[in-house]
Amino acid sequence: MCSNCSIQLSPQDTEAFAGSLLGILNNGATAMMISIGHRTGLFNALHETGACNSETLANSANLNERYVREWLGTMTTSGIVMYDPSTGLYSLPNEHAMLLTNAPDATNMAGFMQWISVLGDVESEIVECFHNGGGVPYSSYERFHDVMAEHSDGTILGGFDQGILELIPGLEQQLIEGIKVLDIACGKGHAILELARRYPNSQFVGVDFSEEAINDARISASAADISNVEYEIADVSKLNYSNEFDLITAFDAIHDQRDPATVLSNIKNAMSNDGIFLMQDIAASSNVEKNIGQPLSPLIYTISCMHCMSVSLQQGGLGLGAAWGKELALTMLDDAGFVGVETHDLPHDIMNHYYIAR
Ligand SMILES: C[S@@+](CC[C@H](N)C(=O)[O-])C[C@H]1O[C@@H](n2cnc3c(N)ncnc32)[C@H](O)[C@@H]1O
């Protein structure tokens, strides 16, 4: 019996719970090894090489055999890679490769596993915050912008052809003819770089306060020889554009703000009279009980606690957290003066809602 509630647990429940904890431990460990497989190119190499032993795989990926063999141990015992003891050969089934490699048409989930390691890096700082409050600065997350950009390439760049642009009727035609677009907290700027490439008559501006991310964004634009995009290093809570942009986008960029209410109000001011705000933000409810049973809830609260909430708190901010939820998002959009707000979900991106506001 639970000491503070009336839920009665049977011995079988306790046994099942122990099994579930064991599964969590194994899955957490495997997630880190999947991240390593992604970063070292091992999944691609195994897929391309076909059935092979650890030495052949290490050679084809240009890696150390002893480490590759241990990695194969995790992959084999977790059911990701198949092993034939009679030949000593390992293989990656095509059906698994479609979810773990960069093969054409693959939905690469291996990249997502990098979050576990990125967050693991700051565990001690987060433990300190549990004792003393405060937060963790962006600078503590060594690979944050790289992993974020890779993550967004999947959901946003991939999503431009999977319904994002169609959410706003007539938008594509406007982009073809030429409009002004602002991307708030653009990170490494891939989203508007892609739009700038597709729509040369439109003008794009990306703003982020990370020097590292904006420098990378500028390098990408110049390498691609795209001149209708510019990037600014600036704090979006201090933006003073007025009545200037026909479309403003914020991809996964409002909930972790220090002062999200001011940022939303700055966005409203920066929009032209018939301008549109497209906000992609985490799909969750503001009420924890409604998030129970949703497939990504534990991940969302973890990323929030170990990054989104804590980077905001570190700046003396609100610390909304990634699970601020649809209810609060709609209230805050309303408070900032937006009207006609619509919320959409797209099948390619189960982690986010898409809000259209005018
Ligand atoms: C979760 S990331 C999203 C980045 C990008 N939109 C994407 O989808 O890849 C949030 C971004 O917000 C930026 N950011 C946070 N607070 C900011 C502020 N006050 N002004 C400008 N950028 C900010 C961070 O540097 C980071 O790049």
Side-chain angles (χ1 to χ4, degrees), residues 138 144-145 148-149 152 156 183-188 207-210 213 234-237 250-253 255-258 263 280 307 315:
Y138 270 98
F144 174 77
H145 289 292
M148 187 69 229
S152 306
I156 306 167
D183 189 25
I184 291 290
C186 64
K188 290 174 76 154
V207 181
D208 200 288
F209 67 6
S210 161
D235 181 341
V236 292
S237 67
F251 297 111
D252 198 6
H255 66 262
D256 54 7
Q257 288 296 316
R258 177 180 57 80
V263 173
Q280 177 221 37
H307 181 268
Q315 301 165 68

Side-chain angles (χ1 to χ4, degrees), residues 196-259:
R197 188 186 65 73
R198 291 179 183 213
Y199 304 108
N201 293 335
S202 287
Q203 293 297 321
F204 298 86
V205 178
V207 181
D208 200 288
F209 67 6
S210 161
E211 241 181 272
E212 176 202 334
I214 292 295
N215 285 342
D216 283 354
R218 288 174 177 155
I219 290 168
S220 304
S222 123
D225 204 14
I226 290 176
S227 57
N228 57 329
V229 62
E230 61 187 70
Y231 295 105
E232 291 172 17
I233 299 170
D235 181 341
V236 292
S237 67
K238 298 190 179 129
L239 274 190
N240 53 9
Y241 286 115
S242 168
N243 203 8
E244 219 165 299
F245 293 93
D246 307 292
L247 173 68
I248 300 185
T249 52
F251 297 111
D252 198 6
I254 299 300
H255 66 262
D256 54 7
Q257 288 296 316
R258 177 180 57 80
D259 181 356

